[in-house]
């Protein structure tokens, strides 16, 4: 193989136009699977959430999950789609060990929702991403390759199949091709997935967690010379984070430009994104629709949602995340960038509820975006699972506002709350953590510090007030951090006759 010199991204986009298209799979958070009553809990023991239907035992018959249809329609409506009045499921035939039926029940030429759009803002400019279709299908099981170093099939000694995920309802959202983004294509792709995630999260139909795979993205990219037809696309899979969406487009643009520069042709194929290297490698060459021998699913009745019901679902949609963000940004008095990090951390609702429970916007934001976000990051968990409720965070901030806790003590109390020791007041009582405001006790500690550090005390008497910090530190030490630093400082200066 000859090595192709790769152009820089800027060079590539100065000579080629990029077209992108995104296919996003969202695992719905329904209680049960798409065509049977099996549970859908994440992380259960392998093969404990299975039955004859999702294992495809002979004679088993599927039945449609109404909650999944409703969720899909709500997603379609939130993406400004038209909802089909009548449509069918289709069989997509292929063999894969984690798909016991040898076909996936999906939708083909009769999707439930069509022709919508999502608006995203990048660098202050709005871009409209067309939605081709939103359809419902089922997830496959999961294959585990063991015995090797990498967890891939290559080098593994055996493969295990877990069918717990088989049959979990999956919604596929396919964009129309998006041309004309110039060098911003990677950023717009990322902004689109982020907006899609926020919209779906606001509907409460999925936890949309890329790292757990409940939101998965395939990124299509092609290049063409200005004035020429769109090029052949590649489809990059395995894109597991927002950052990777951006990197996947960028690396494909560079790679394809290199191939085209060298007079080569782009093959229509799936490619795998490598998180560690930030580039893609070829997967299988892409099947065409005819390879799948699609045909309408005979075991399921058509889907025919009552237009009046659809209209009602539409009228009950929640406020659009972008509208809500703009409103809250105003109310909380924070910058667009800060609001973006709040949204990215999944903290919008948590902060909202904390404020509703009595905290100030700044107080609420501080804990969720500080200690709790750090903890969630470290443990790789959702912020809402970090161990504190909005009510507890509001109570903690109240104790700080009342001067019963200083910042350092409050952090210790929060540790107790997160460890399951109870509400902030309970942790405070149980651990004996309270700001010492008893002036008698404080004065004794101050006098002790002065007596132990006569040189420093002299400096302060001579007017070097900055030296007081050392004495404050000493008092904080004897009171185990439970004194209010400002009060201590005032006391020290008063005792030394400086003010
Ligand atoms: P498949 O199942 O073969 O992946 P889909 O219709 O599900 O096909 O998705 C194809 C995706 O590729 C869509 O998002 C579409 O907008 C996008 N796409 C189509 N043509 C191009 C192109 N020339 N360049 C980039 N993306 C494209
Ligand atoms: Mg597809
Ligand atoms: Zn089942």
């Amino acid at each position: 193989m000859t090595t192709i010199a790769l152009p820089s991204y800027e060079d590539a986009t100065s000579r080629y136009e990029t077209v992108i298209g995104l296919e996003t799979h969202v695992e719905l958070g329904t209680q049960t699977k798409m065509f049977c009553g099996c549970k859908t809990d994440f992380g259960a023991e392998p093969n404990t959430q299975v039955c004859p239907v999702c294992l495809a035992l002979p004679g088993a018959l599927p039945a449609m999950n109404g909650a999944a249809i409703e969720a899909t329609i709500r997603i379609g409506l939130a993406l400004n789609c038209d909802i089909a009045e009548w449509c069918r499921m289709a069989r997509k035939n292929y063999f894969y060990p984690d798909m016991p039926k040898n076909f996936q029940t999906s939708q083909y030429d009769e999707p439930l929702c069509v022709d919508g759009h999502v608006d995203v803002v990048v660098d202050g400019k709005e871009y409209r991403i067309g939605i081709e279709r939103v359809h419902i299908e089922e997830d496959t099981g999961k294959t585990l390759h063991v015995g090797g170093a990498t967890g891939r099939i290559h080098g593994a000694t055996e493969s295990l199949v877990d069918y717990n995920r088989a049959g979990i309802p999956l919604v596929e959202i396919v964009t129309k091709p998006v041309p004309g983004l110039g060098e911003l294509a990677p950023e717009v792709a990322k902004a689109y997935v982020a907006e899609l995630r926020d919209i779906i999260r606001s509907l409460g139909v999925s936890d949309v967690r890329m790292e757990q795979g409940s939101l998965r993205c395939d990124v299509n990219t092609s290049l063409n010379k200005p004035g020429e037809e769109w090029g052949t696309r590649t489809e990059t899979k395995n894109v597991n984070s927002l950052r990777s969406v951006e990197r996947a487009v960028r690396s494909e643009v560079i790679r394809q430009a290199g191939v085209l520069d060298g007079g080569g042709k782009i093959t229509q194929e799936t490619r795998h994104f490598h998180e560690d290297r930030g580039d893609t490698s070829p997967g299988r060459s892409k099947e065409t629709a005819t390879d799948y021998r699609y045909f309408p699913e005979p075991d399921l009745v058509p889907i025919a949602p009552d237009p009046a019901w659809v209209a009602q679902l539409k009228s009950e949609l929640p406020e659009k995340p972008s509208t809500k963000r703009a409103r809250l940004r105003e109310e909380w008095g924070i910058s667009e960038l800060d609001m973006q990090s709040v949204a990215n951390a999944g903290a919008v609702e948590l902060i909202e509820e904390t404020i509703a429970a009595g905290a100030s916007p700044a107080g609420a934001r501080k804990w969720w975006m500080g200690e709790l976000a750090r903890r969630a990051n470290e443990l790789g968990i959702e912020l809402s699972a970090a161990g504190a409720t909005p009510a507890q965070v509001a109570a903690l901030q109240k104790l700080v506002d009342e001067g019963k806790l200083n910042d350092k003590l409050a952090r210790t109390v929060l540790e107790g709350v997160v460890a399951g020791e109870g509400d902030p007041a309970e942790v405070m009582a149980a651990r004996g953590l309270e700001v010492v405001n008893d002036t008698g006790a404080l004065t004794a500690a101050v006098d002790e510090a002065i007596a132990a550090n006569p040189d420093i005390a002299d400096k302060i008497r001579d007017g070097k007030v900055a030296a007081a910090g050392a004495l404050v530190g000493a008092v904080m030490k004897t009171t185990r951090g439970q004194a209010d630093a400002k009060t201590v400082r005032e006391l020290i200066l008063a005792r030394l006759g400086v003010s």
Side-chain angles (χ1 to χ4, degrees):
M1 223 175 105
T2 50
T3 322
I4 303 162
L6 292 180
S8 71
Y9 180 73
E10 289 68 27
D11 180 24
T13 52
S14 71
R15 290 179 290 114
Y16 294 99
E17 291 173 352
T18 308
V19 180
I20 56 168
L22 290 115
E23 300 165 70
T24 310
H25 284 95
V26 174
E27 216 174 70
L28 294 179
T30 48
Q31 295 291 311
T32 58
K33 292 187 181 178
M34 189 63 222
F35 304 115
C36 62
C38 286
K39 276 206 161 75
T40 56
D41 302 340
F42 182 81
E45 277 288 295
N47 297 308
T48 53
Q49 302 180 345
V50 291
C51 76
V53 173
C54 52
L55 288 176
L57 301 188
L61 281 174
M64 199 88 86
N65 182 341
I69 300 296
E70 177 173 331
T72 308
I73 292 176
R74 292 181 66 227
I75 291 174
L77 290 169
L79 303 180
N80 306 291
C81 288
D82 299 331
I83 309 302
E85 291 188 14
W86 192 91
C87 66
R88 285 174 299 186
M89 303 300 292
R91 286 191 184 185
K92 182 181 186 183
N93 297 281
Y94 64 102
F95 169 79
Y96 212 71
D98 59 15
M99 203 186 56
K101 294 191 295 195
N102 283 346
F103 62 84
Q104 181 190 29
T105 308
S106 180
Q107 292 197 289
Y108 178 48
D109 49 355
E110 302 173 15
L112 184 49
C113 324
V114 294
D115 202 17
H117 62 262
V118 175
D119 295 327
V120 299
V121 177
V122 171
D123 287 350
K125 201 172 160 225
E126 192 168 82
Y127 299 88
R128 176 156 290 190
I129 311 295
I131 301 292
E132 177 82 39
R133 64 174 197 273
V134 176
H135 76 236
I136 181 92
E137 58 185 37
E138 60 179 336
D139 211 343
T140 58
K142 254 189 207 160
T143 312
L144 233 76
H145 305 293
V146 294
T150 58
R152 305 203 170 191
I153 193 162
H154 190 77
T157 54
E158 54 203 322
S159 296
L160 304 169
V161 191
D162 174 9
Y163 290 112
N164 281 351
R165 203 179 65 178
I168 290 187
L170 211 55
V171 171
E172 179 169 350
I173 300 153
V174 183
T175 72
K176 295 178 179 170
V178 195
L181 297 172
E183 61 186 23
L184 280 183
E187 273 101 331
V188 173
K190 175 182 168 194
Y192 161 76
V193 178
E195 193 63 29
L196 190 62
R197 178 198 60 183
D198 290 350
I199 291 171
I200 293 172
R201 189 187 277 143
S202 79
L203 298 172
V205 295
S206 167
D207 56 9
V208 280
R209 296 173 64 175
M210 289 191 94
E211 73 291 352
Q212 276 193 0
S214 56
L215 188 153
R216 316 200 278 269
C217 219
D218 302 339
V219 180
N220 294 271
T221 313
S222 72
L223 294 188
N224 61 272
K225 285 247 169 73
E228 291 181 6
E229 273 181 35
W230 292 350
T232 303
R233 70 184 160 103
T234 61
E235 181 180 348
T236 303
K237 306 230 171 217
N238 262 357
V239 186
N240 296 329
S241 68
L242 288 178
R243 188 166 161 261
S244 298
V245 172
E246 183 177 344
R247 291 168 79 210
V249 176
R250 189 175 292 267
S251 78
E252 259 309 275
V253 168
I254 293 172
R255 187 192 69 83
Q256 290 186 15
V259 172
L260 295 173
D261 285 347
K265 277 208 162 75
I266 304 299
T267 346
Q268 183 166 347
E269 62 187 0
T270 57
R271 299 184 66 86
H272 294 282
F273 183 69
H274 302 283
E275 200 82 36
D276 45 349
R277 311 197 311 237
D279 65 0
T280 68
S281 64
R284 59 187 157 91
S285 70
K286 188 72 185 158
E287 288 83 358
T288 58
T290 44
D291 293 330
Y292 290 121
R293 299 286 183 269
Y294 279 102
F295 64 86
E297 167 60 56
D299 285 344
L300 288 162
V301 293
I303 304 167
D306 180 356
W309 176 58
V310 172
Q312 185 197 336
L313 291 178
K314 186 169 185 175
S315 72
E316 290 167 0
L317 286 178
E319 183 180 19
K320 244 179 29 185
S322 53
T323 313
K324 180 172 177 169
R325 279 198 304 271
R327 175 173 61 77
L328 291 178
R329 198 162 73 73
E330 196 87 346
E331 285 174 25
W332 299 351
I334 63 175
S335 72
E336 199 156 322
L337 210 64
D338 282 340
M339 193 68 215
Q340 205 56 55
S341 2
V342 167
N344 285 344
V348 177
E349 277 72 29
L350 294 166
I351 293 175
E352 243 190 322
E353 286 167 34
T354 306
I355 295 169
S360 66
R365 199 159 60 89
K366 175 179 138 191
W367 295 111
W368 288 111
M369 295 305 288
E371 304 298 309
L372 291 164
R374 212 168 2 254
R375 182 180 155 81
N377 262 338
E378 272 167 25
L379 299 176
I381 55 174
E382 283 284 277
L383 194 52
S384 57
T389 64
Q392 287 171 328
V393 173
L396 183 73
Q397 184 57 36
K398 184 154 178 264
L399 291 166
V400 174
D401 293 341
E402 290 169 351
K404 291 187 179 147
L405 291 177
N406 59 25
D407 207 58
K408 184 157 169 290
L409 288 174
R411 259 179 270 159
T412 311
V413 169
L414 185 60
E415 271 168 30
V417 171
V418 161
E421 292 168 26
D423 287 334
E426 290 167 332
V427 176
M428 215 171 110
R431 292 201 184 188
L433 300 166
E434 182 162 3
V435 171
V436 179
N437 272 327
D438 170 355
T439 330
L442 272 189
T443 309
V446 165
D447 287 346
E448 200 183 303
I450 290 172
N453 300 282
D455 300 353
I456 299 175
D458 279 343
K459 275 191 196 163
I460 300 170
R461 284 197 193 91
D462 289 347
K464 289 207 176 104
V465 180
L471 293 186
V472 173
V475 174
M476 293 308 271
K477 210 163 172 186
T478 48
T479 56
R480 291 173 33 240
Q482 288 176 238
D484 176 46
K486 195 161 153 259
T487 314
V488 172
R489 190 184 156 83
E490 278 163 12
L491 262 178
I492 290 168
L493 297 182
R495 295 301 272 184
L496 295 174
V498 198
S499 48

